[in-house]
Amino acid sequence: QVQLVESGGGLVQAGESVRLSCTASGSSFSINSMGWYRQVPGKQRVLAATITSGGKTKYADSVKGRFTISRDIAKNTVYLQMNSLKLEDTAAYLCNLDAIVDGWAQEYWGQGTQVTVSS
């Protein structure tokens, strides 16, 4: 079993910055990719940013140039640095992990951390 623990988020003003972190722990697993998705009530969960085990990153167009995803391999942790926040960045941010556990591909989700951007 693999667990994801998220931290960061909160209430910030437009233009400010926030950093999210997510740490994976549990039984033996290997990471394919980790990332962040975001969701607002009544809408589908959408990609914010992901990073593969090889370091390849992918960003939603709406966050390119403002958000940076990075990882600490030794700590099984992924970070999302969010700069120049906009009102429309308000959402629950959920950590995602694609991993191999006992030879099987598995996907895990964190509980989510709320980011609220005010004017």
Side-chain angles (χ1 to χ4, degrees):
Q1 190 70 9
V2 178
Q3 295 82 38
L4 299 177
V5 177
E6 301 152 327
S7 62
L11 176 62
V12 297
Q13 290 193 322
E16 293 184 340
S17 299
V18 166
R19 190 174 88 150
L20 307 180
S21 64
C22 173
T23 299
S25 63
S27 56
S28 179
F29 61 95
S30 62
I31 296 173
N32 286 333
S33 68
M34 292 185 75
W36 293 92
Y37 287 69
R38 59 187 186 178
Q39 188 169 25
V40 297
K43 293 191 176 182
Q44 287 188 332
R45 189 175 298 177
V46 296
L47 169 76
T50 60
I51 186 167
T52 69
S53 58
K56 184 176 181 180
T57 59
K58 181 178 180 180
Y59 295 94
D61 288 343
S62 58
V63 308
K64 284 180 181 177
R66 300 188 298 119
F67 291 11
T68 302
I69 191 167
S70 60
R71 75 204 193 283
D72 185 327
I73 296 174
K75 296 181 179 179
N76 288 333
T77 297
V78 64
Y79 305 97
L80 186 66
Q81 180 66 42
M82 307 162 63
N83 297 332
S84 302
L85 283 162
K86 303 177 180 180
L87 297 180
E88 52 264 40
D89 293 319
T90 295
Y93 285 74
L94 297 100
C95 181
N96 174 266
L97 167 67
D98 281 325
I100 303 296
V101 181
D102 295 330
W104 295 91
Q106 301 284 351
E107 183 178 45
Y108 299 90
W109 291 93
Q111 297 273 33
T113 184
Q114 180 69 30
V115 174
T116 301
V117 184
S118 65
S119 59

